[in-house]
């Protein structure tokens, strides 16, 4: 990397350091479509505009500011008080989906905690009458004007807000409590961007003042459903992880977490086990012992108290949890319990003609409906046998009527091909479109159905590997922002939730933007490769950069500001690295720049505990050892064992991954992290280490966790993937956190650096 001039401004230094060659600043269908000279010119223009007073960094979602003269000064030495309108204290929104809506006071106090976490200041929340004389501070209240905030369909919403930044104060008036909350997300993002633009170092900023330009913005989301899905039926996720993920997504104004609670590994892919032994999971532990056979691994499930805590936490940040229990397809958890309910030729599909099938599904829902603090639930109904369309439609309508009568909730299903001339799905059922050939969202909307946009072309991620060579739409292993920024492969055409069809750009093949039946969009993250193919944090890293972009486009829609692609990467970098009150990146200390030494501990005792817990991507860790050892944190460990030889093993989420011998350059550049089975340069056998040596572990999401011993490359930690429909097989990288909460055994020294060093 080129040395930077000493007189380069701090923001530009960080930009140049983090984006060498500027190659990551412009997301198109191919990173090679923009020349280096063009990128450098665009970066120069962006910096020049910044120097002229034009905002170089942009909030995500972008905010429709109208700037005026003056600045608001935010000082940690004299932090402002948050003044909450007394009449808004117990205001709660009734027009959202959650049954546990937080009060405006709850949102205000959460905002104060976020400011403390981000800027290390204690800020009071006081209730006042807005008629009193204004004193400097941050004012939060309810905008009583009717019809001021609407979705793009024209339907009124409490989610909109007005933010006024003046020289002495900031005032946020929401259409409801959630409007106040989303306004605080805007203010928090703008403070972070202003701090970065001023070049204030995070560790030294208490003597500085952050200045915000005075101005005003009136802002409303284009759609109520702005969500993300996580497949928890084929991979275990802890309650703490799910809460942190909601905290992160809320920062970018997403509103729903689609919790896919049950599923199974595909029966047509790999492992060659009998169907009773294929991995399936039901991730909610029922109180009723009669239903316990649904849950073969109770340590991989949430009881009612835990799930309630997840729902409450997410709701406290404006996100409603939408639970999904899959049936009649993807139902191996049920058919392994009651084999007589399975179809004879497709054992993970329920036989809907069996007299006990629908009563069994109703019994499951009867157990869990009282758990679910939402007005809508998802019953799955995905990828059933199209030859059985009539019984499928009967099942969907029956379950919709049952859930409505039992709990007053509406039902969502996946769009599934059901070619019937005899019956139709009730128009009270919401269809979540995911693929053409399964459903036609334009026709559904015309026929009067409510729909949600989860079109797989733009919205799907297949954790760890795509489905190659299954066509037409292999799913990227990291969320593909280029498809959001260039919808349908058209450069610069930014997706928004009315855009469903990426194969035909004409308006007649899209849903009208004013439609009241188009609820919005949900991006989806799937564990089709099974529970051992990723760690929990690898799932986060796969969607980490997609959440801000999808959140921005779902919020702005067609009427709001588009994403500034020229400054997207640096804006996203600032905001993702500073999202408050969570540590999904597993940071150690304040070092964020490549080469920063984060952890340096000579070990003298046989067993020690450190204040630090773990470091996430990217990092370099050096371990000097004299005998077997273990480094561990809550759910992760790396151990040098004596069985059968000196073998290095990472353990994550209960799965063991030995270090395997691979060639240092064996990867397929077209499929990041993948080594095909027919590669002859790598044995993939467990590597043997010396009894005493120094090892270096380097981890990034593409290379995974790779190991050098005394300077010589040994191999990497990896997982075997059954690709396609048992037509291609490969080894793929595993990228682990560096666990340092407890250190045991013959360790002399542990050092951890930010980035890939040396």
């Amino acid at each position: 990397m080129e040395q930077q001039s000493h007189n380069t401004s701090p923001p530009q230094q960080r930009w140049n350091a983090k984006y060498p060659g500027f190659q990551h600043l412009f997301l198109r269908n191919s990173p090679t479509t923009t020349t280096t000279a063009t990128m450098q010119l665009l970066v120069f223009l962006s910096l020049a505009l910044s120097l002229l007073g034009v905002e170089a960094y942009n909030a995500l979602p972008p905010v429709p500011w109208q700037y005026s003269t003056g600045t608001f000064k935010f000082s940690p030495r004299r932090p402002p008080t948050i003044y909450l309108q007394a009449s808004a204290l117990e205001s709660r929104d009734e027009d959202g989906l959650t049954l546990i809506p937080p009060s405006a006071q709850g949102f205000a106090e959460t905002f104060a905690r976020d400011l403390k976490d981000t800027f290390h200041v204690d800020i009071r929340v006081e209730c006042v009458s807005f008629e009193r004389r204004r004193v400097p501070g941050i004012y939060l209240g309810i905008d009583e004007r009717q019809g001021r905030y609407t979705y793009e369909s024209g339907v009124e919403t409490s989610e909109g807000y007005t933010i006024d930044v003046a020289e002495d104060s900031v005032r946020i008036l929401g259409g409801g409590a959630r409007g106040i909350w989303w306004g605080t997300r805007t203010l928090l993002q703008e403070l972070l961007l202003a701090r970065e633009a001023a070049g204030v170092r995070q560790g030294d900023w208490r003597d500085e003042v952050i200045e915000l330009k005075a101005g005003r913005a009136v802002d409303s989301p284009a759609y109520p459903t702005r969500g993300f899905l996580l497949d928890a039926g084929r991979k275990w996720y802890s309650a703490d992880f799910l809460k942190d993920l909601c905290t992160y997504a809320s920062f970018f104004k997403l509103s729903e977490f689609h919790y896919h609670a049950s599923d199974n590994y595909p029966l047509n892919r790999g492992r060659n086990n009998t169907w009773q032994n294929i991995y399936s999971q039901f991730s909610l532990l029922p109180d009723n012992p009669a239903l316990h056979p649904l849950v073969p691994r109770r340590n991989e499930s949430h009881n009612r108290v835990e799930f309630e805590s997840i729902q409450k936490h997410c709701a406290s940040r404006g996100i409603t949890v939408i639970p999904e229990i899959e049936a009649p397809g993807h139902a191996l958890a049920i058919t392994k319990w009651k084999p007589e309910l399975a179809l004879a030729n497709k054992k993970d599909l329920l036989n809907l003609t069996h007299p006990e099938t629908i009563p069994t599904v109703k019994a499951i829902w009867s157990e869990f409906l009282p758990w679910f603090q939402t007005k809508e639930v998802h019953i799955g109904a995905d990828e059933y046998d199209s030859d059985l369309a009539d019984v499928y439609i009967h099942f969907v309508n029956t379950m919709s009527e049952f859930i409505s009568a039992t709990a007053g909730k509406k039902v969502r299903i996946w769009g599934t091909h059901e070619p019937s001339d005899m019956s139709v799905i009730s128009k009270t059922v919401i269809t979540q479109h995911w693929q053409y050939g399964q459903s036609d969202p334009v026709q559904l909307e015309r026929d009067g159905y409510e729909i949600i946009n989860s079109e797989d072309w733009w919205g799907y991620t297949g954790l760890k590997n795509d489905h190659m060579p299954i066509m037409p739409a292999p799913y990227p292993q990291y969320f593909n922002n280029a498809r959001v920024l260039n919808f349908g492969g058209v450069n610069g055409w930014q997706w928004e939730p009315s855009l469903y069809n990426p194969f035909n750009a004409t308006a007649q093949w899209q849903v009208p933007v004013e439609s009241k039946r188009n609820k919005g969009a949900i991006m989806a993250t799937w564990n089709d490769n099974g529970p051992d193919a990723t760690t929990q944090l690898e799932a986060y890293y796969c969607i980490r950069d997609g959440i801000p972009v999808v959140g921005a486009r779902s919020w702005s829609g067609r009427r709001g500001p588009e994403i500034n692609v020229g400054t997207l990467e640096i804006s996203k970098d600032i905001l993702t690295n500073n999202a408050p009150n969570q540590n999904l990146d597993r940071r150690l200390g304040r070092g964020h720049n490549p080469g920063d030494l984060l952890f340096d501990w000579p070990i003298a005792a046989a067993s020690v505990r450190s204040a630090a817990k773990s470091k996430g991507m990217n990092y370099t860790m050096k371990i000097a050892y004299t005998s077997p050892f273990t480094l561990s944190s809550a759910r992760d460990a790396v151990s040098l064992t004596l069985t059968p030889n000196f073998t290095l093993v990472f353990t994550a989420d209960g799965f063991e991954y030995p270090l395997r011998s691979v060639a240092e350059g064996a990867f397929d550049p077209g499929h990041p992290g993948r080594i095909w089975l027919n590669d002859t340069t790598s044995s993939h056998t467990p590597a043997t280490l010396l009894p005493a040596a120094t090892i270096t572990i380097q981890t990034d999401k593409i290379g995974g966790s790779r190991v050098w011993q005394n300077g010589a490359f040994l191999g990497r930690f990896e997982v075997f993937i059954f690709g396609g429909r048992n037509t291609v097989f490969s080894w793929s990288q595993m990228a682990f956190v560096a666990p340092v909460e407890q250190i045991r055994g013959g360790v002399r020294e542990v050092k951890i650096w930010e980035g890939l060093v040396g």
Side-chain angles (χ1 to χ4, degrees):
M1 185 186 302
E2 269 187 45
Q3 294 294 319
Q4 301 301 316
S5 168
H6 290 291
N7 61 5
T8 303
S9 68
Q12 187 176 343
Q13 287 176 6
R14 281 188 285 278
W15 194 329
N16 292 341
K18 292 181 180 179
Y19 309 104
F22 313 105
Q23 66 267 34
H24 301 302
L25 282 170
F26 305 97
L27 298 177
R28 294 289 186 261
N29 288 325
S30 169
T32 62
T33 59
T34 306
T35 67
T36 300
T38 301
M39 285 190 276
Q40 289 176 339
L41 174 60
L42 289 171
V43 171
F44 171 80
L45 290 174
S46 181
L47 288 172
L49 289 171
S50 175
L51 294 173
L52 290 172
V54 179
E55 292 298 297
Y57 309 143
N58 298 107
L60 295 169
V63 180
W65 286 107
Q66 294 181 332
Y67 290 109
S68 56
T69 58
T71 59
F72 171 76
K73 295 177 174 59
F74 183 88
S75 169
R77 292 199 176 276
R78 288 180 294 177
T81 298
I82 296 174
Y83 295 108
L84 176 63
Q85 184 182 27
S87 60
L89 189 67
E90 288 301 319
S91 177
R92 300 172 192 268
D93 295 345
E94 300 298 329
D95 60 338
L97 291 183
T98 183
L99 296 175
I100 46 174
S103 66
Q105 181 182 21
F107 280 136
E109 290 173 348
T110 302
F111 174 44
R113 290 194 294 271
D114 286 349
L115 288 171
K116 181 175 182 178
D117 178 71
T118 305
F119 299 107
H120 312 294
V121 293
D122 288 313
I123 294 182
R124 304 189 316 275
V125 177
E126 295 185 8
C127 293
V128 299
S129 169
F130 273 21
E131 283 70 38
R132 63 174 282 183
R133 182 177 63 85
R134 180 189 293 183
V135 296
I138 299 172
Y139 287 77
L140 308 179
I142 299 293
D143 191 336
E144 302 291 350
R145 289 170 287 185
Q146 297 295 312
R148 182 165 178 76
Y149 308 106
T150 64
Y151 296 121
E152 211 153 47
S153 63
V155 174
E156 188 171 356
T157 173
S158 62
E159 292 194 87
Y161 67 93
T162 297
I163 180 170
D164 281 291
V165 178
E167 290 190 355
D168 62 344
S169 63
V170 175
R171 180 173 292 223
I172 297 171
L173 295 181
R178 286 179 301 162
I180 294 173
W181 173 249
W182 299 131
T184 68
R185 302 305 85 190
T186 292
L187 178 56
L188 190 56
Q189 285 196 17
E190 295 290 353
L191 287 170
L192 287 168
L193 295 169
R195 181 176 71 180
E196 184 77 12
V200 178
R201 289 177 57 84
Q202 291 189 39
D204 305 328
W205 86 281
R206 288 190 63 86
D207 294 325
E208 304 289 341
V209 174
I210 297 176
E211 295 187 356
L212 290 185
K213 287 184 177 180
R216 188 170 192 265
V218 180
D219 198 14
S220 297
Y223 294 88
T225 292
R226 310 177 303 279
F228 66 100
L229 174 152
L230 188 60
D231 176 2
R234 287 176 283 198
K235 170 70 184 177
W236 162 244
Y237 295 100
S238 71
D240 288 344
F241 174 81
L242 297 177
K243 291 175 184 178
D244 280 352
L245 197 57
C246 276
T247 298
Y248 180 80
S250 168
F251 189 53
F252 301 102
K253 298 180 182 167
L254 291 182
S255 63
E256 294 182 15
F257 170 27
H258 181 161
Y259 183 74
H260 186 78
S262 63
D263 211 322
N264 52 266
Y265 187 82
L267 296 186
N268 62 355
R269 290 179 60 196
R271 305 194 191 274
N272 297 317
N273 292 334
T274 58
W275 66 272
Q276 294 96 333
N277 296 324
I278 294 294
Y279 182 93
S280 65
Q281 181 58 6
F282 198 97
S283 65
L284 301 174
L285 181 62
D287 293 330
N288 183 357
L291 296 177
H292 282 180
L294 277 172
V295 189
R297 291 169 299 281
R298 297 184 190 178
N299 64 323
E300 295 182 10
S301 62
H302 299 292
N303 61 32
R304 184 170 184 174
V305 172
E306 290 170 338
F307 194 70
E308 180 74 11
S309 73
I310 294 169
Q311 294 180 96
K312 285 183 176 179
H313 176 88
C314 294
S316 75
R317 291 183 170 272
I319 290 184
T320 302
V321 177
I322 306 293
E324 176 188 357
I325 297 175
E326 266 276 22
H330 298 257
L332 203 58
I334 299 174
T335 59
K336 285 197 293 188
W337 168 34
K338 295 191 173 187
E340 67 276 13
L341 302 187
L343 285 177
N345 59 338
K346 297 178 181 179
K347 293 299 186 179
D348 60 345
L349 272 60
L350 293 174
N351 179 359
L352 295 176
T353 64
H354 193 287
E356 291 302 314
T357 296
I358 290 180
T360 297
V361 177
K362 284 182 177 180
I364 294 170
W365 276 100
S366 294
E367 170 77 5
F368 291 107
L369 279 170
W371 292 31
F372 298 153
Q373 302 286 4
T374 171
K375 299 174 185 176
E376 295 179 6
V377 294
H378 205 299
I379 65 169
D382 186 25
E383 295 184 299
Y384 197 65
D385 190 334
S386 60
D387 291 337
L388 304 173
D390 291 315
V391 292
Y392 167 88
I393 293 171
H394 172 72
F395 168 82
V396 169
N397 290 341
T398 299
M399 292 307 302
S400 176
E401 292 168 3
F402 171 76
I403 289 171
S404 177
T406 303
K409 301 180 190 296
K410 291 185 68 173
V411 159
R412 297 179 181 182
I413 64 169
W414 294 103
T416 299
H417 183 47
E418 66 278 345
S420 172
D421 295 326
M422 299 176 59
S423 54
V424 295
I425 289 175
S426 167
K427 291 184 181 178
T428 63
V429 174
I430 302 161
T431 300
Q432 189 166 343
H433 166 82
W434 69 279
Q435 188 181 80
Y436 282 88
Q438 295 292 333
S439 61
D440 181 345
V442 175
Q443 191 60 51
L444 284 169
E445 194 275 339
R446 289 173 181 166
D447 289 344
Y449 290 93
E450 288 186 299
I451 55 175
I452 295 171
N453 188 344
S454 288
E455 164 61 32
D456 63 354
W457 187 91
W458 72 264
Y460 269 29
T461 303
L463 293 178
K464 192 47 58 81
N465 272 342
D466 58 26
H467 293 175
M468 288 294 290
I470 296 175
M471 298 303 283
Y475 302 142
Q477 67 186 84
Y478 301 99
F479 188 83
N480 190 343
N481 278 333
R483 289 190 169 184
V484 175
L485 299 170
N486 307 284
F487 184 69
V490 180
N491 280 345
W493 188 20
Q494 295 192 10
W495 166 88
E496 43 85 11
S498 76
L499 299 177
Y500 278 79
N501 192 332
F503 313 109
N504 192 320
T506 57
Q508 70 187 73
W509 294 101
Q510 311 301 336
V511 173
V513 72
E514 67 276 7
S515 171
K516 292 179 172 58
R517 291 186 285 272
N518 187 18
K519 293 170 63 69
I522 297 175
M523 61 188 290
T525 307
W526 298 103
N527 282 294
D528 290 353
N529 291 302
D532 61 343
T534 60
T535 69
Q536 294 186 52
L537 284 176
E538 279 187 300
Y540 158 69
Y541 293 125
C542 287
I543 58 176
R544 177 186 188 272
D545 287 353
I547 283 175
V549 172
V550 173
R553 294 306 302 139
S554 298
W555 177 279
S556 292
R558 191 174 301 180
R559 69 184 178 187
E562 289 193 340
I563 293 172
N564 183 335
V565 179
T567 60
L568 172 61
E569 282 302 298
I570 192 166
S571 299
K572 179 161 56 66
D573 184 66
I574 295 165
L575 297 173
T576 55
N577 286 333
N578 292 283
N581 264 311
Q582 51 76 40
N583 190 20
L584 288 167
D585 283 306
R586 299 297 188 261
R587 301 189 186 282
L588 289 177
R590 295 195 178 102
H592 292 178
N593 297 313
D596 286 349
L597 181 61
L598 307 176
F599 187 90
D600 185 3
W601 201 347
I603 306 300
S607 178
V608 296
R609 280 192 177 275
S610 71
K613 295 185 178 180
S614 59
K615 171 68 177 81
M617 292 186 276
N618 297 325
Y619 68 83
T620 298
M621 177 167 65
K622 185 175 79 171
I623 305 171
Y625 65 91
T626 56
S627 62
F629 66 86
T630 298
L631 276 60
S632 61
S633 59
R635 293 180 178 84
D636 304 275
V638 58
S639 302
L640 181 69
T641 67
L642 291 172
T643 306
N645 299 303
F646 282 95
T647 304
L648 194 64
V649 177
F650 247 113
T651 303
D653 302 329
F655 294 98
E656 292 187 349
Y657 304 85
L659 177 68
R660 295 184 180 274
S661 298
V662 303
E664 194 166 1
F667 310 113
D668 181 348
H671 296 274
R674 177 178 282 182
I675 300 176
W676 299 104
L677 186 63
N678 62 5
D679 173 74
T680 59
T681 63
S682 305
S683 69
H684 303 284
T685 56
T688 300
L689 279 71
L690 296 173
T694 297
I695 60 173
T696 299
I697 302 175
Q698 287 195 339
T699 295
D700 66 276
K701 66 182 184 181
I702 301 298
S705 295
R706 292 152 294 149
V707 179
W708 288 257
Q709 178 179 259
N710 294 339
F713 183 72
L714 286 183
R716 68 170 183 169
F717 301 94
E718 54 186 11
V719 62
F720 192 69
I721 298 292
F722 298 84
R725 292 188 175 94
N726 294 330
T727 55
V728 293
F729 306 92
S730 61
W731 293 87
S732 289
Q733 79 282 9
M734 294 297 299
F736 301 106
V737 301
V740 289
E741 186 174 12
Q742 186 165 15
I743 302 171
R744 301 188 300 272
V747 179
R748 288 193 299 108
E749 182 182 57
V750 179
K751 291 180 181 287
I752 300 176
W753 292 268
E754 183 74 40
L756 308 184
V757 178

